Amino acid sequence: MTSIERVAEGLEKPALDDRSYRVVRLPNQLEALLVHDPDTDKASASVNVNVGSFSDADDMPGMAHAVEHLLFMGTEKYPVENDYNQYLSANSGYSNAYTSSTETNYFFEVAASSSQHSDATTNGHVKSPLHGALDRFAQFFIAPLFLPSTLDRELKAVDSENKKNLQSDTWRLSQLKKSLSNSKHPYHHFSTGNLQTLKDEPLKRGVKIRDEFIQFHCEQYSANRMKLVVLGREDLDELEAWVGELFAGVANKDLPPNRWEGVQPYGRKELLTQVFAKPVMDSRLLDIYFPYQDEEELYESQPSRYLSHLIGHEGPGSILSYIKAKGWANGLEAGAAPICQGSAFFTISVRLTEDGLKHYNEAVKVIFQYISLIGESAPQQWIFDEVKGMTEVDFKFRQKSPATSFTSRLSSVMQKPLPRDRLLSGTSVLRKFDPQGITDALSYLRPDNYRLTLVSQTFPGDWDQKERWYGTEYRVETIPSDFQAAVRTAAQTTSDTRIKELHLPHTNEFIPTNLVVDKKEIYEPAKAPRLIRNDEFVRTWWKKDDRFWVPKGNVYVTLRNPLAKATPQTAVMSNLYCELVKDALDEYSYDAEIAGLDYQLSSYSMGLDIDVGGYNDKMAVLLEKVLVSMRDLEVKSDRFKIVKERVLRGLRNWDFQQPYRQVGDFTRWLGSEKGWINEQYLAEVTPLTAQDIQTFYPQLLRQVHIEVLAHGNLRREDARRMTDLVESTLKPRVLPKSQWQIRRNLLLSPGSDYTYVRTLRDPANVNQCIEYYLYVGSLSDHILRAKLLLLGQMTEEIGFDQLRTKEQLGYIVFTGAKFAATVMGYRVIIQSERSAEYLESRVNAFLALFATKLESMSTEDFESHKKSLINKRLEKVKNLDQESERFWSHISGEYFSFVQNELDVANLKPLSRQDMIGFFNHYIHPISPARAKLSVHMIAQSSPKATAGQQLSTKEQEEKLVDLLSKYLTSVGISADAEKLSNKFARVDVSGGGQKAIVSAISSYLHEDAKITPERVEAVVEMGKQLLGTVLPSLGIEVKVDVDEEDLPPAPPKVKETVFIEDAFEFKAGLSVSKGPRAVCDLREFEEAEAKL
């Protein structure tokens, strides 16, 4: 037997990386990166296959995506379709996958430590859950079953995923760009696929679709096209042995790497054209696409990084600085993105204002003038060195990321032609200044080598075409000759003729120079920050980083003032104020941002939040500038008009989000004592003036209570100094504690059942959505909280399997705990084309089904769920930002329960199955007289049935069905007599959607009129059944599937009648309120005497 080849060890890695690495190649040519992390609590693996949507057959778009879905549905070794996900769920894990143009990426995460339920041993000791997960995972690529029983379901899942995105501008504009590209290049493909491309059309052509997917897997999936990354606690030798054992069976077909050379996405026909596209949301974008070189082999110099740094700069002298001063733009981004080997685009994208839309051609000329400025002199070493220096610093102090993020990203990186010892640094670090390479790269940004796209809901208004897959309205035309000439002139400007305000950036004063980390030996990292100041003015929390040892920090500041969101109007004014401050700071803060130091300013229910994070060297400088800008803001009418319009547009666009992203806001609003929703904000924006904000904002700063968290490479005196900086700059009066806002939630009474219905504003969205919420109790009840968390764990996998996989209700299905300011509950969210009432009934059925499963659950399975949840609750934070966010959530939540995870574990351990049965039957079971429920239904304006059928009459539905069936029979070589076929439907209620009667009529025609053999009838009818599942809905007929009794989904139990909320104000007025949040202990316990520090 050929041995495993060790390709590389000792990879170049960040300074504080305590992992060890090894790259190996199996005899079947599968290459793997093995990662030993002795301290990880999560193990993970990812396989990246060099095959994606570019490999789809032209007549079957979405094939690669469908195969990705189908691989999860059982293998020869593990034939139960959800065995893989059940195993992961029982071991604190999960899985996912994605399909892109040139690769398909599969990944999972699982508990790193051994559990008592593991069934495998090696050398006498219990193997970790990673081994069992890898075993199941490897079978995807060795012997997937493509189970016929799952085929239809997973194709519907693909279709549902596609429908989820139909109203998303990101997807719509991306596909428009592809559809208008060179049809000879696979970039032109429709990548997601839907039922039409993957089922209906192939069936009409007589294609055996399951065979096509199997063939695709056989012809495209090969060990030599795969890259594997495995991360675990096991040492490298053991991981190597496991990979060698479990992945040896992946067949190597010696397939060449997938390449698409000799043709480009944009040819002469596509260049020098402009595309006008109408978006769903109110947005205005100017995109310039330059066909660009593939930089895969240029990983050391990456010339596009130099160009994007200059073109995308936001400081003085930049493109954005000039066009923003003109009132034409709010933002600009630039950079190169690969399409596939041999192809790439360099894109410049500008977010236009209303005035910018009128002057988009002027903005284009400014861009080309700046490009001419870059080319006027040789590439400058100091600019490259500045960018290079930051890439080196960022890599040196890179912290760990979540396990799946790491493995999924690295398996993709392994497809690149990088030296194997540089897989971690890869394209992250610039190494070589190549002036000629930069000059060559700039040569692609020519006035004869681009396509322009303008996105607007209003301009030009005469779109004359619709994109095939998403229906985006657009117009495409050759760029007018006078505009082309003006661009050519702009590209040839000199220092004498160029706009004088344009110039290259100055040196960046925010580049960190002090990167010393104050590190000392510690026995155990502190679990909470210390309270180093606590008086009527200020509470300052501080923790010197004792875990990650990077020269970074995070400072969070809350200026507590109840005025910030006292009314919808003050909420809007607070938001406008924050946006105006950020707008004024854009040029200044950009240098800090590219030097790894950033800030955020926002308003929320308790006041204003200022967050500053990144390299701590210049942190105080940026904080002071933000505070001074807040204090001294001059609201200029021209910038106010632009910022106000942007805020107004954002509020209007909120209604065009996907329904599942909207529904939670209504649930929160209905459950909050004080709070507002989007339509209330929207009503307040238009009347506001610049003077309103100028008069209002000093009231936000005049009287506040200051709360600070300083965490990271910051000393106590740094924390105190920054606290003093807030006080001395703003000089506020004290806000007495008696005036602090108390957050409270409304309490649903036992036995109540409410439903609130909202109609979606987007007329083209066909998806409905529900959030089904069951109130459980107070956040401060730790035993109830533990039970709720365990219920979420136990229902996660079975909920997904039942509601999404088996019942195919929709692509979006969530189950689990929901936490508000002071209360908690259990919720289910489903987005679907099915009616909200039907979805509600299926949730009731699912909960009743789970009740029976809980009653019969074995002790072993119950304890496995507990163990899995405990592992999740004790998962370590991976980096400084995660720990900072955890601390701040406990501070801003006002419970100060910094060891909440340990409390959860302590309360989980003693729970018994009987405890959970009692909890479930009281709070959750649909027939419980004590449970309290609130459902929010988001209703589509147009149902799929109405849209597809266009209100056809019963007679028209029957005629169209007969016509489609005739075409289908003809396509499979059977003579179709439309009159005789129609006679067979004389007594069939076609509009009723009963498949059994329709299939019987078809069978009768085939036997009696077409006179074909029984064997042929059976085969034709079986394919016809699959076709009906799509044909009937397309005629506006709701399908009633006839299935065997044992295959029926569980019937919903009879539940009490719901009360519909007609008046939200009256509803909320009738509910009692919760207690406000209170600290879990005396805050003095977090204080520490000076002598001890």
Side-chain angles (χ1 to χ4, degrees):
M1 176 180 174
T2 309
S3 62
I4 295 173
E5 177 190 356
R6 293 184 179 177
V7 178
E9 295 196 65
L11 273 63
E12 183 177 50
K13 63 183 185 178
L16 298 172
D17 190 344
D18 59 355
R19 293 166 170 165
S20 51
Y21 301 89
R22 179 183 296 164
V23 180
V24 299
R25 186 176 293 110
L26 305 190
N28 60 5
Q29 298 304 298
L30 187 150
E31 189 178 45
L33 170 63
L34 312 175
V35 187
H36 164 57
D37 186 339
D39 299 320
T40 188
D41 47 15
K42 290 290 186 181
S44 177
S46 173
V47 165
N48 187 286
V49 190
N50 176 216
V51 57
S53 61
F54 279 12
S55 300
D56 290 344
D58 289 340
D59 60 355
M60 209 165 171
M63 188 181 291
H65 184 206
V67 168
E68 171 222 304
H69 275 248
L70 289 163
L71 291 198
F72 285 82
M73 297 291 111
T75 61
E76 287 183 11
K77 187 172 182 180
Y78 297 101
V80 177
E81 68 179 62
N82 63 332
D83 176 89
Y84 173 63
N85 284 327
Q86 277 185 333
Y87 179 88
L88 295 179
S89 179
N91 289 283
S92 314
Y94 74 96
S95 69
N96 211 334
Y98 68 81
T99 302
S100 69
S101 300
T102 61
E103 59 187 43
T104 307
N105 194 294
Y106 303 83
F107 53 91
F108 71 81
E109 181 176 285
V110 74
S113 59
S114 301
S115 77
Q116 59 185 326
H117 308 297
S118 181
D119 55 1
T121 62
T122 180
N123 298 327
H125 68 270
V126 178
K127 291 181 180 178
S128 75
L130 175 60
H131 185 274
L134 280 174
D135 188 16
R136 290 161 173 80
F137 188 50
Q139 294 302 310
F140 284 20
F141 314 103
I142 297 172
L145 288 176
F146 293 92
L147 290 167
S149 61
T150 67
L151 182 63
D152 199 48
R153 287 207 309 262
E154 286 310 303
L155 293 184
K156 286 178 180 175
V158 170
D159 190 64
S160 180
E161 184 176 351
N162 178 60
K163 285 175 178 168
K164 170 181 72 71
N165 299 324
L166 287 179
Q167 291 301 104
S168 164
D169 281 327
T170 300
W171 286 87
R172 291 166 69 88
L173 296 174
S174 173
Q175 186 58 52
L176 178 63
K177 182 180 167 188
K178 294 177 180 180
S179 294
L180 295 178
S181 67
N182 184 352
S183 60
K184 295 179 181 178
H185 193 283
Y187 183 71
H188 185 76
H189 284 176
F190 168 45
S191 58
T192 308
N194 58 27
L195 277 178
Q196 176 190 346
T197 67
L198 295 168
K199 181 179 174 184
D200 301 346
E201 295 298 332
L203 284 175
K204 288 177 183 176
R205 299 193 301 268
V207 172
K208 295 181 178 179
I209 53 178
R210 177 172 175 266
D211 292 350
E212 289 295 311
F213 296 132
I214 293 172
Q215 184 178 355
F216 184 92
H217 187 273
C218 289
E219 292 181 352
Q220 297 286 354
Y221 277 54
S222 173
N224 71 309
R225 281 184 175 176
M226 297 180 188
K227 307 297 180 184
L228 166 68
V229 179
V230 181
L231 181 154
R233 281 188 182 177
E234 292 75 13
D235 63 40
L236 294 176
D237 289 344
E238 186 162 13
L239 291 175
E240 182 179 303
W242 287 3
V243 167
E245 166 204 351
L246 300 174
F247 286 84
V250 181
N252 178 24
K253 299 153 191 173
D254 284 320
L255 299 178
N258 268 318
R259 297 289 182 261
W260 295 270
E261 297 169 333
V263 61
Q264 290 294 325
Y266 283 178
R268 285 289 109 194
K269 175 185 172 186
E270 289 75 34
L271 295 175
L272 295 179
T273 57
Q274 53 187 9
V275 178
F276 300 95
K278 183 181 180 182
V280 172
M281 290 192 176
D282 188 3
S283 60
R284 294 180 294 270
L285 294 171
L286 167 65
D287 292 327
I288 305 175
Y289 300 106
F290 297 92
Y292 187 70
Q293 65 184 352
D294 173 20
E295 290 189 343
E296 268 198 352
E297 301 287 348
L298 305 176
Y299 58 87
E300 290 190 314
S301 58
Q302 299 174 61
S304 65
R305 296 276 289 272
Y306 183 94
L307 299 181
S308 61
H309 172 71
L310 296 178
I311 295 171
H313 209 281
E314 298 179 14
S318 66
I319 298 169
L320 180 61
S321 177
Y322 180 80
I323 60 178
K324 184 177 175 183
K326 285 286 189 180
W328 297 343
N330 287 314
L332 181 149
E333 296 174 351
I339 302 300
C340 59
Q341 190 175 58
S343 302
F345 285 129
F346 191 99
T347 304
I348 302 172
S349 184
V350 184
R351 295 193 301 278
L352 296 172
T353 63
E354 286 182 300
D355 201 36
L357 189 62
K358 300 171 188 174
H359 295 90
Y360 79 91
N361 51 350
E362 296 299 318
V364 173
K365 288 188 281 186
V366 173
I367 289 168
F368 275 95
Q369 284 204 33
Y370 196 88
I371 291 170
S372 78
L373 168 66
I374 297 172
E376 190 172 67
S377 57
Q380 299 186 32
Q381 177 92 43
W382 74 267
I383 295 176
F384 177 83
D385 287 345
E386 217 175 59
V387 179
K388 174 177 177 286
M390 281 312 304
T391 68
E392 291 169 345
V393 169
D394 288 340
F395 179 70
K396 180 178 180 180
F397 296 108
R398 180 187 288 172
Q399 300 169 77
K400 291 179 181 177
S401 57
T404 51
S405 299
F406 174 84
T407 57
S408 176
R409 182 178 66 83
L410 261 294
S411 66
S412 177
V413 168
M414 289 178 73
Q415 296 286 3
K416 300 180 184 298
L418 294 165
R420 301 294 93 172
D421 62 347
R422 291 184 179 177
L423 287 175
L424 301 179
S425 53
T427 56
S428 301
V429 177
L430 288 175
R431 303 171 190 275
K432 176 184 171 186
F433 179 50
D434 181 4
Q436 187 57 50
I438 293 170
T439 301
D440 292 343
L442 189 63
S443 71
Y444 288 89
L445 278 52
R446 305 188 309 272
D448 65 343
N449 188 50
Y450 72 97
R451 165 176 272 179
L452 186 153
T453 297
L454 197 68
V455 177
S456 165
Q457 283 193 333
T458 58
F459 181 82
D462 56 347
W463 308 278
D464 56 2
Q465 297 184 68
K466 281 192 175 183
E467 193 276 325
R468 176 182 179 185
W469 303 109
Y470 289 81
T472 304
E473 293 183 74
Y474 73 94
R475 192 181 89 202
V476 60
E477 64 186 24
T478 301
I479 295 175
S481 57
D482 57 340
F483 186 22
Q484 289 189 42
V487 170
R488 285 195 299 272
T489 300
Q492 294 166 4
T493 54
T494 66
S495 58
D496 294 329
T497 58
R498 189 177 304 118
I499 296 167
K500 299 305 179 187
E501 290 87 344
L502 298 179
H503 60 78
L504 296 178
H506 51 64
T507 56
N508 189 343
E509 300 299 329
F510 275 101
I511 299 290
T513 54
N514 180 6
L515 296 169
V516 176
V517 177
D518 184 14
K519 186 174 182 180
K520 60 182 180 181
E521 292 299 320
I522 52 105
Y523 175 69
E524 182 183 5
K527 296 176 181 178
R530 308 311 299 172
L531 186 55
I532 62 173
R533 180 176 170 185
N534 187 12
D535 54 44
E536 61 179 349
F537 286 94
V538 172
R539 245 183 349 220
T540 299
W541 301 84
W542 165 74
K543 183 193 169 187
K544 172 71 181 70
D545 175 39
D546 54 5
R547 192 187 294 265
F548 303 106
W549 310 115
V550 289
K552 294 185 175 185
N554 290 299
V555 175
Y556 297 85
V557 180
T558 283
L559 304 177
R560 186 178 273 107
N561 184 333
L563 180 63
K565 282 207 172 179
T567 68
Q569 185 188 58
T570 64
V572 169
M573 288 197 290
S574 299
N575 183 33
L576 276 168
Y577 165 62
C578 292
E579 291 301 313
L580 285 162
V581 172
K582 289 188 286 187
D583 183 72
L585 277 169
D586 274 350
E587 280 194 16
Y588 178 86
S589 64
Y590 184 73
D591 273 353
E593 182 184 333
I594 59 178
L597 182 61
D598 204 359
Y599 83 98
Q600 296 294 327
L601 174 64
S602 59
S603 61
Y604 78 122
S605 61
M606 307 302 286
L608 301 179
D609 259 4
I610 309 161
D611 307 337
V612 181
Y615 294 105
N616 60 276
D617 182 24
K618 310 281 176 45
M619 180 175 284
V621 177
L622 179 59
L623 176 60
E624 181 176 19
K625 183 66 175 180
V626 172
L627 291 167
V628 169
S629 298
M630 291 173 66
R631 183 194 66 194
D632 298 340
L633 177 70
E634 180 187 349
V635 183
K636 298 177 181 178
S637 59
D638 58 338
R639 294 312 302 170
F640 173 78
K641 179 183 177 183
I642 289 170
V643 171
K644 174 184 170 180
E645 191 276 333
R646 188 173 71 212
V647 168
L648 183 61
R649 196 153 34 95
L651 291 169
R652 287 173 177 159
N653 286 340
W654 187 92
D655 288 315
F656 290 83
Q657 297 178 101
Q658 293 194 44
Y660 80 94
R661 295 189 183 278
Q662 300 182 41
V663 69
D665 275 28
F666 293 106
T667 312
R668 282 189 291 274
W669 172 60
L670 292 168
S672 299
E673 183 189 23
K674 295 178 181 178
W676 321 110
I677 52 175
N678 191 69
E679 64 189 38
Q680 293 170 310
Y681 298 139
L682 196 54
E684 300 296 334
V685 180
T686 303
L688 292 174
T689 65
Q691 188 57 46
D692 290 331
I693 307 303
Q694 191 75 56
T695 304
F696 169 73
Y697 86 77
Q699 300 174 57
L700 286 175
L701 307 180
R702 186 172 297 134
Q703 188 176 23
V704 302
H705 175 266
I706 301 166
E707 185 123 41
V708 177
L709 167 66
H711 175 225
N713 191 40
L714 302 166
R715 296 168 297 174
R716 177 203 302 274
E717 50 267 37
D718 295 326
R720 284 181 167 161
R721 193 179 302 117
M722 284 192 269
T723 301
D724 293 343
L725 189 60
V726 178
E727 273 193 287
S728 62
T729 305
L730 301 179
K731 296 183 173 62
R733 289 173 51 216
V734 173
L735 181 73
K737 197 168 186 177
S738 60
Q739 295 181 35
W740 294 12
Q741 181 169 325
I742 300 173
R743 285 180 290 186
R744 301 178 190 272
N745 286 110
L746 301 173
L747 304 177
L748 297 175
S749 57
S752 61
D753 191 312
Y754 296 102
T755 299
Y756 182 68
V757 179
R758 296 281 300 198
T759 300
L760 291 161
R761 297 283 178 88
D762 183 356
N765 197 319
V766 299
N767 287 307
Q768 327 273 345
C769 184
I770 71 165
E771 180 166 19
Y772 178 114
Y773 172 76
L774 301 169
Y775 167 73
V776 168
S778 168
L779 272 183
S780 57
D781 189 327
H782 298 299
I783 296 176
L784 268 184
R785 175 185 165 95
K787 291 177 180 177
L788 175 62
L789 288 169
L790 185 54
L791 175 65
Q793 160 66 30
M794 291 192 293
T795 57
E796 181 179 29
E797 192 280 327
I798 187 178
F800 187 89
D801 183 59
Q802 181 64 39
L803 298 172
R804 181 182 143 169
T805 305
K806 287 190 168 69
E807 297 192 35
Q808 286 293 302
L809 296 181
Y811 185 75
I812 300 296
V813 174
F814 299 131
T815 62
K818 182 183 179 80
F819 299 100
T822 61
V823 300
M824 58 190 173
Y826 180 82
R827 63 96 181 264
V828 179
I829 290 180
I830 305 175
Q831 180 173 296
S832 172
E833 294 179 59
R834 308 300 291 270
S835 72
E837 293 81 2
Y838 180 76
L839 298 178
E840 179 118 0
S841 74
R842 297 320 307 152
V843 176
N844 286 330
F846 162 66
L847 293 176
L849 172 68
F850 179 76
T852 64
K853 291 184 178 294
L854 182 58
E855 289 277 358
S856 60
M857 187 177 291
S858 69
T859 300
E860 182 182 18
D861 285 346
F862 181 77
E863 291 299 323
S864 177
H865 279 301
K866 280 173 58 178
K867 175 74 173 176
S868 182
L869 179 57
I870 287 169
N871 285 338
K872 289 178 183 176
R873 297 303 298 145
L874 294 179
E875 184 176 347
K876 299 173 184 175
V877 287
K878 300 296 186 293
N879 51 58
L880 184 74
D881 288 348
Q882 282 189 1
E883 187 171 52
S884 296
E885 288 162 8
R886 179 182 287 186
F887 288 155
W888 189 239
S889 70
H890 291 305
I891 293 168
S892 60
E894 300 181 284
Y895 285 97
F896 306 96
S897 184
F898 297 108
V899 291
Q900 183 64 57
N901 58 335
E902 295 180 7
L903 282 172
D904 290 339
V905 170
N907 286 291
L908 279 166
K909 286 181 176 178
L911 290 182
S912 66
R913 186 171 62 88
Q914 209 55 46
D915 291 331
M916 289 303 296
I917 291 172
F919 168 80
F920 187 88
N921 288 340
H922 181 83
Y923 291 100
I924 310 297
H925 203 296
I927 62 173
S928 166
R931 80 168 191 164
K933 182 177 78 68
L934 169 66
S935 278
V936 176
H937 294 183
M938 306 296 290
I939 308 299
Q941 291 186 38
S942 57
S943 69
K945 175 178 174 179
T947 303
Q950 299 176 351
Q951 309 300 327
L952 295 176
S953 68
T954 301
K955 181 67 174 173
E956 288 172 326
Q957 287 173 335
E958 182 181 314
E959 289 172 353
K960 283 187 174 291
L961 177 62
V962 169
D963 180 57
L964 287 168
L965 288 172
S966 297
K967 291 177 179 176
Y968 162 64
L969 293 176
T970 302
S971 73
V972 295
I974 297 172
S975 174
D977 185 317
E979 184 179 351
K980 291 181 179 179
L981 188 57
S982 182
N983 290 337
K984 296 296 182 184
F985 284 92
R987 296 182 181 179
V988 176
D989 179 16
V990 171
S991 63
Q995 275 198 353
K996 195 170 185 178
I998 294 172
V999 169
S1000 177
I1002 297 169
S1003 297
S1004 175
Y1005 171 81
L1006 294 174
H1007 280 297
E1008 298 170 10
D1009 298 306
K1011 300 188 185 304
I1012 61 175
T1013 65
E1015 293 79 15
R1016 184 96 193 276
V1017 169
E1018 185 179 352
V1020 171
V1021 166
E1022 190 56 39
M1023 281 207 298
K1025 281 182 183 177
Q1026 296 183 53
L1027 188 62
L1028 285 174
T1030 303
V1031 166
L1032 295 179
S1034 74
L1035 300 177
I1037 300 169
E1038 187 171 347
V1039 183
K1040 292 182 181 136
V1041 184
D1042 303 290
V1043 296
D1044 294 334
E1045 197 67 34
E1046 62 268 21
D1047 292 332
L1048 281 170
K1054 186 175 178 60
V1055 297
K1056 68 179 294 182
E1057 192 171 338
T1058 192
V1059 174
F1060 286 93
I1061 300 170
E1062 303 292 342
D1063 185 323
F1065 180 85
E1066 290 295 327
F1067 163 74
K1068 295 172 75 168
L1071 301 180
S1072 57
V1073 297
S1074 69
K1075 295 178 181 179
R1078 289 184 292 179
V1080 295
C1081 63
D1082 190 326
L1083 294 189
R1084 286 175 295 185
E1085 293 184 22
F1086 296 107
E1087 296 175 1
E1088 193 167 44
E1090 288 285 340
K1092 294 182 181 179
L1093 292 178

